[in-house]
Amino acid sequence: MKQGSDSNVASTLNPESMISSSWLEAIFMTTKVGSSVFIDAPLEKVFSRIAQHDICNDWLEFVSSARYTSREKTGVGVSAHHWGQVMGRKMEWDGRVIGWAENDSIVWQAISGTPEAMRMKAVNRVEKEENGTRYSLEVEYVPPYSILGRIMDPIMIKRKIQKMVQHSTQNLKRILEQ
């Protein structure tokens, strides 16, 4: 048998090669939901408020309370412990800032609990727009429970998280425009 034909036999007998890569991607694909709102407030004020993570529970709908677990309160590496409720389920998790650009963006990544298992990440962005600020919140996650989670995601999970993200951006707007 020639060497070239050995690789053909190996690929046809390899179970992973028999599964469509698009099918595998569909199971482990990241879901992104987001919301954007114009806030009639200076960019620095909006950024300052989203950076105060220990008081985010008054606008982030899925966070009941949060406390810093790091000495630092700003910048990459900041960490916090959270309590909250997602889809009627009480959860506790730790998060860490993995991206920080002053007056531009803050990226939080879950590092424990169910949100960590879902590889949950929240991207907060501010951008000057006319006489105010455009605030955007995007939440990324991998649905839990393998194939069942992928089936439930568009039916239930994604819709619920989308509503929570939209309510959160509207809550922030209300607070900052008071």
Side-chain angles (χ1 to χ4, degrees):
M1 204 179 204
K2 295 179 190 171
Q3 191 173 359
S5 58
D6 284 341
S7 63
N8 289 339
V9 170
S11 68
T12 57
L13 298 177
N14 180 350
E16 290 175 9
S17 69
M18 290 188 252
I19 299 172
S20 162
S21 63
S22 61
W23 185 79
L24 282 174
E25 289 169 6
I27 292 175
F28 299 107
M29 203 162 104
T30 299
T31 299
K32 294 180 184 181
V33 296
S35 180
S36 175
V37 65
F38 175 80
I39 300 175
D40 190 14
L43 182 137
E44 296 79 13
K45 180 178 180 181
V46 177
F47 187 85
S48 174
R49 187 61 173 83
I50 64 170
Q52 297 173 18
H53 201 68
D54 56 339
I55 58 171
C56 68
N57 61 311
D58 65 349
W59 65 275
L60 276 176
E61 192 165 289
F62 43 88
V63 177
S64 304
S65 67
R67 68 170 170 73
Y68 287 108
T69 54
S70 61
R71 180 173 291 186
E72 301 80 24
K73 307 287 189 257
T74 61
V76 172
V78 169
S79 60
H81 188 77
H82 306 81
W83 293 267
Q85 198 164 343
V86 178
M87 297 186 53
R89 236 178 113 199
K90 289 183 179 182
M91 293 186 189
E92 237 183 282
W93 69 96
D94 291 303
R96 177 173 294 130
V97 172
I98 61 169
W100 184 286
E102 191 70 26
N103 291 323
D104 181 70
S105 62
I106 301 172
V107 182
W108 280 87
Q109 175 82 48
I111 59 171
S112 73
T114 302
E116 187 271 335
M118 294 173 66
R119 294 185 241 161
M120 195 165 276
K121 183 169 44 170
V123 181
N124 299 267
R125 287 191 176 87
V126 293
E127 188 176 8
K128 184 157 180 48
E129 185 177 295
E130 296 174 14
N131 292 330
T133 305
R134 171 70 47 187
Y135 169 69
S136 302
L137 174 60
E138 182 179 83
V139 174
E140 301 176 9
Y141 63 93
V142 174
Y145 316 119
S146 186
I147 190 69
L148 180 60
R150 290 304 307 159
I151 293 167
M152 290 174 48
D153 188 40
I155 298 167
M156 191 173 72
I157 301 169
K158 184 177 181 177
R159 289 181 185 171
K160 183 67 175 172
I161 292 176
Q162 178 70 45
K163 280 185 181 178
M164 294 174 86
V165 168
Q166 288 172 337
H167 290 163
S168 295
T169 58
Q170 290 300 316
N171 290 341
L172 183 63
K173 175 181 176 69
R174 179 184 39 79
I175 288 166
L176 289 170
E177 290 182 350
Q178 286 180 346

